[in-house]
Amino acid sequence: MPLLSFFLYIFVTSFTPGPNNIMAMTFANKYGLKKTTRFCMGVGSGFLVIMLLCSFFNVLLKNYIPKIEFVMTILGAVYMMYLAFKIVSSKNGKNNENDKNNSFLAGMLLQFVNPKGILYGITAISTFILPYYSSSVSLLLFSILLALVGFVSTFCWSLFGSVLQKFLSKYRTPFNVVMALLLVYSAVSILVDLK
């Protein structure tokens, strides 16, 4: 296995802006790191499920991806647009302590409409893992590794949002607009790549 290529791929793909990272940073900026940890745990858990599915059903997924990719892409882009709208329309006043989007379940469910995460799993596993490893134990361990990297990247973005909370609270509206635009960009770029 080309380890350097594998680690570069998972690092760049995991730490670049995407729905998980942008939402984690936004939530941490708004609610603080402690209250965003449950969202990050949900992202990690959902990502583990996706990685396990990609690992153990890779051949099946490869056969059906052309049939479901279009629907998943549209759903993912629509959900990202919805999240962008929620970010832009959030009030600058008192924080809603019970934001249902900043929850374990929301973080977990986000993974099932996140084409970047699903395609990341399929690509990493089919390109870097399956040609070299095929045992159930190795597939499980690689799935855990990929999910752990996904959790760490999301948590790092949360940490960034939390550390800059005081600074960003002064500029919450422009910050929310930039984060929403990044989500819109992610959604549009996914739709543009749709063939």
Side-chain angles (χ1 to χ4, degrees), residues 37-47 103-105 107-108 111:
T37 302
R38 62 184 174 219
F39 175 80
C40 294
M41 296 297 288
V43 167
S45 298
F47 209 63
S103 68
F104 179 87
L105 184 60
M108 185 170 184
Q111 304 322 296

Side-chain angles (χ1 to χ4, degrees), residues 86-125:
K86 293 297 282 181
I87 289 172
V88 166
S89 65
S90 70
K91 295 191 167 65
N92 288 339
K94 187 128 176 114
N95 291 339
N96 178 5
E97 299 294 331
N98 297 316
D99 187 341
K100 64 183 177 185
N101 292 319
N102 184 26
S103 68
F104 179 87
L105 184 60
M108 185 170 184
L109 293 178
L110 177 61
Q111 304 322 296
F112 294 94
V113 294
N114 181 0
K116 177 185 174 189
I118 294 169
L119 294 175
Y120 159 77
I122 292 170
T123 304
I125 290 163

